[in-house]
Amino acid sequence: MTTQGPAATEAPAITWHHRHLIDVDVLTWPEFELIMRTTEEMKHVLARPIRKVPALNGRRVTTLFYEASTRTRVSFETAARNLSADVVSISPATSSVTKGESLVDTVRTLEALGAEILVMRHAVSGAPYLAAEMFSGHVLNGGDGWHAHPTQALLDLYTMREHFPAGDLRGRKVVIVGDILHSRVARSNIWSLTAAGADLWLCGPATLLREWIAGQRPGPAARSPGTASST
């Protein structure tokens, strides 16, 4: 991943060219900044009496969560409605998945029924990549296995920036504590926080950091994190 550190001056206008959002490892720093600026604009929209903009008016957004979720699923659905999209929520437990329908067949069926944006969560790492290959629209990853949770990482980055002058995280020491090995949120945060220039440290029991300590670094790392300590 090639990124540019946060610039001291205002970044030039850029165009978003990504079709999907499966992880933040594909984002450059200017693209992170674009997301942060757009988020700030939406924050002002949500403070209005009418909390809607027509950005996705007429678009069909389908949420497909193979894992139980309250906050993430409802957050996506609420956001889509705030953008004026038509939202359909699919629960695999009450769909043909219970009769053996594959992920590929489910995605193809949803597309045939008009889905244009697919928000999915799956217990298997890499499942959104397979969906993206089969789906002609746009796939947003709401968390897959131990791999990634890009929107949570973007929310974490935005929240941290709000608490520092000018939203600058360069040189700020950030420690992620716990089960790093199995955490999709930690893996995505490693990308976003290192791209932001934070001094990132990983801390947890050696058994839950063993591959990081061994230097294998499972999953993405925008640059070498700080030394992981064990307890």
Side-chain angles (χ1 to χ4, degrees):
M1 173 181 174
T2 302
T3 60
Q4 297 178 2
T9 59
E10 184 177 352
I14 64 169
T15 301
W16 185 263
H17 64 274
H18 299 285
R19 179 177 155 201
H20 309 294
L21 180 60
I22 298 178
D23 199 2
V24 293
D25 58 350
V26 298
L27 302 180
T28 63
W29 180 251
E31 289 168 338
F32 276 108
E33 287 280 25
L34 175 61
I35 294 172
M36 297 297 106
R37 291 195 299 270
T38 305
T39 303
E40 188 64 27
E41 292 172 3
M42 278 304 301
K43 182 178 179 180
H44 295 307
V45 169
L46 296 178
R48 301 173 184 171
I50 299 177
R51 304 175 181 181
K52 280 196 173 186
V53 292
L56 292 181
N57 187 34
R59 296 290 187 177
R60 298 178 181 178
V61 175
T62 300
T63 59
L64 177 63
F65 276 56
Y66 284 81
E67 289 184 323
S69 171
T70 300
R71 180 182 55 83
T72 301
R73 181 179 62 81
V74 174
S75 294
F76 271 113
E77 292 174 5
T78 300
R81 289 189 175 96
N82 288 337
L83 295 170
S84 301
D86 298 323
V87 182
V88 175
S89 179
I90 303 297
S91 172
T94 56
S95 73
S96 294
V97 171
T98 61
K99 298 186 291 185
E101 182 177 78
S102 69
L103 173 60
V104 170
D105 287 339
T106 298
V107 170
R108 286 174 173 167
T109 298
L110 293 175
E111 181 173 357
L113 293 172
E116 297 173 272
I117 300 172
L118 181 63
V119 181
M120 66 176 294
R121 170 175 285 187
H122 205 287
V124 177
S125 298
Y129 288 99
L130 176 61
E133 291 180 2
M134 302 294 109
F135 190 60
S136 64
H138 309 275
V139 175
L140 279 69
N141 182 10
D144 64 317
W146 300 352
H147 170 243
H149 197 334
T151 55
Q152 182 64 60
L154 292 170
L155 176 61
D156 292 344
L157 178 61
Y158 179 81
T159 302
M160 291 183 197
R161 282 164 55 102
E162 280 196 309
H163 292 277
F164 291 103
D168 192 355
L169 294 181
R170 286 175 294 177
R172 301 287 184 176
K173 186 171 183 178
V174 180
V175 182
I176 302 178
V177 182
D179 184 359
I180 309 299
L181 183 63
H182 304 106
S183 175
R184 57 193 174 203
V185 175
R187 291 168 189 262
S188 290
N189 271 322
I190 287 166
W191 279 102
S192 58
L193 292 173
T194 52
D199 179 16
L200 182 61
W201 290 63
L202 308 178
C203 179
T207 54
L208 301 179
L209 288 170
R210 61 181 184 273
E211 294 184 36
W212 292 92
I213 294 173
Q216 297 178 26
R217 294 189 178 90
R223 62 174 174 81
S224 298
T227 304
S229 62
S230 60
T231 58

